[in-house]
Amino acid sequence: MWEQVQQTVKYIQEKTGFTPEYGVILGSGLGSFTDDIQIEYSLPYHEIPNFPVSTVEGHKGALVFGTIGAKKVVAMQGRFHYYEGYSMKEVTFPVRVMKYLGVNKLIVSNASGGVKNTYKVGSIVLIKDHVNMMPEHPLRGKNDERFGPRFVNMSEPYSRKMIAKAEELAAQLGIEVQHGVYLGLQGPTFETMSEYRMVKALGCDCVGMSTVPEVIVARHMELETFGISVITDMGNEDSIESITHAEVLEAAKGAEPHVRALIKELILSY
Ligand code: HPA
């Protein structure tokens, strides 16, 4: 994989000559963040060597390069999910590439189901920790020490300094944020009532189908990582709402201007 990553990096560097400092992975309904970027290059995933090949028809995905103020950013417009059939190595390949393009700080966003009783649909959650219950581990197999160590310290997967900065900015901007522990499950089914109860019993506050593998791989390579989630539905034990993907996207859209503003300011000031 090392050679594949370096080959992809070389291709992108030759195409763009761009050295980003910040990586951003845009989750469900948060894709418009690219409007905040002064875009210099946009590379469709299917043109990038070694990138996972999309099996979904009409699947839109691109690596977007540009600036926010003086900060150089690469953003993933569209991510790869395990439930789509990709291996965890494929899901996390772009994170490896971002690292060797120059990224040292990664911001990951997602939509999730909430179980904490202070949450409501549209709540913005700063992820302070996660529980990994996905069925495949992205670091399983022979370890390549060039990327990072065999056994990865996960005592601070989400940067406390970035969380503190984001809280400060949220207060300044008048945006309400909460904290949470994110449980990563494979999906693609939403949780049953009993599974939502399990999420709570496990000490988690929200649940989703992404983020965890990307953050693990980011930490393997010592990227400073920040995670933000929009609660798009509440799984409250006995009164589960019936949720559709369209509703998830709509709820995420509602919080989108706030999440955008927060990420933008964080990039500008951290
Ligand atoms: N479960 C898992 N993933 C999700 C959910 C959920 O309830 N909502 C949005 N993404």
Side-chain angles (χ1 to χ4, degrees):
M1 178 160 55
W2 176 266
E3 284 71 25
Q4 279 190 339
V5 170
Q6 303 312 324
Q7 185 185 49
T8 304
V9 167
K10 187 159 175 275
Y11 170 88
I12 293 171
Q13 280 172 340
E14 279 170 3
K15 267 223 121 88
T16 70
F18 201 83
T19 305
E21 173 195 357
Y22 263 97
V24 187
I25 302 179
L26 300 169
S28 298
L30 302 172
S32 79
F33 179 70
T34 50
D35 293 348
D36 290 327
I37 304 174
Q38 197 76 35
I39 298 175
E40 294 188 18
Y41 302 93
S42 179
L43 304 181
Y45 291 156
H46 66 85
E47 286 181 10
I48 305 175
N50 304 320
F51 251 52
V53 178
S54 174
T55 50
V56 187
E57 213 175 311
H59 174 99
K60 173 175 117 195
L63 217 44
V64 175
F65 297 84
T67 53
I68 296 181
K71 301 290 175 78
K72 290 186 166 177
V73 173
V74 54
M76 282 183 75
Q77 196 171 29
R79 62 144 62 84
F80 300 98
H81 298 89
Y82 183 74
Y83 64 73
E84 293 176 82
Y86 302 108
S87 72
M88 282 303 192
K89 296 245 179 332
E90 291 173 311
V91 166
T92 57
F93 185 80
V95 180
R96 302 263 185 222
V97 169
M98 285 196 261
K99 156 87 181 182
Y100 292 95
L101 284 170
V103 166
N104 53 37
K105 289 181 275 293
L106 181 70
I107 296 178
V108 185
S109 67
N110 64 51
S112 69
V115 298
K116 194 178 188 174
N117 49 27
T118 58
Y119 293 173
K120 53 186 190 312
V121 169
S123 288
I124 297 171
V125 175
L126 309 184
I127 303 175
K128 65 176 180 193
D129 207 358
H130 71 225
V131 171
N132 179 17
M133 287 198 19
M134 290 191 154
E136 188 195 324
H137 200 287
L139 303 182
R140 178 172 173 268
K142 194 172 183 298
N143 185 58
D144 190 330
E145 294 283 331
R146 288 172 291 187
F147 287 121
R150 167 79 292 181
F151 300 104
V152 180
N153 186 307
M154 292 295 279
S155 60
E156 192 184 342
Y158 301 87
S159 164
R160 287 190 203 115
K161 274 165 70 182
M162 288 178 90
I163 292 171
K165 188 70 197 175
E167 278 183 317
E168 186 188 314
L169 293 167
Q172 280 168 20
L173 295 164
I175 296 171
E176 196 191 316
V177 293
Q178 302 194 52
H179 286 268
V181 177
Y182 177 94
L183 174 67
L185 296 179
Q186 71 166 311
T189 39
F190 291 119
E191 287 63 38
T192 63
M193 266 197 236
S194 303
E195 285 164 345
Y196 278 120
R197 201 172 299 128
M198 171 193 77
V199 176
K200 216 169 186 172
L202 287 172
C204 300
D205 304 311
C206 58
V207 56
M209 311 171 191
S210 68
T211 301
V212 168
E214 292 123 316
V215 170
I216 288 172
V217 165
R219 292 305 299 147
H220 187 225
M221 302 181 298
E222 294 193 333
L223 300 184
E224 190 172 2
T225 305
F226 177 80
I228 190 164
S229 187
V230 175
I231 303 298
T232 53
D233 56 286
M234 288 297 294
N236 265 342
E237 307 200 4
D238 302 316
S239 62
I240 194 172
E241 297 158 16
S242 62
I243 181 77
T244 65
H245 184 56
E247 286 166 341
V248 165
L249 292 181
E250 184 156 325
K253 272 255 167 299
E256 191 165 3
H258 285 158
V259 177
R260 263 175 70 171
L262 199 52
I263 295 178
K264 181 179 166 192
E265 292 305 320
L266 185 61
I267 290 174
L268 283 170
S269 62
Y270 186 83

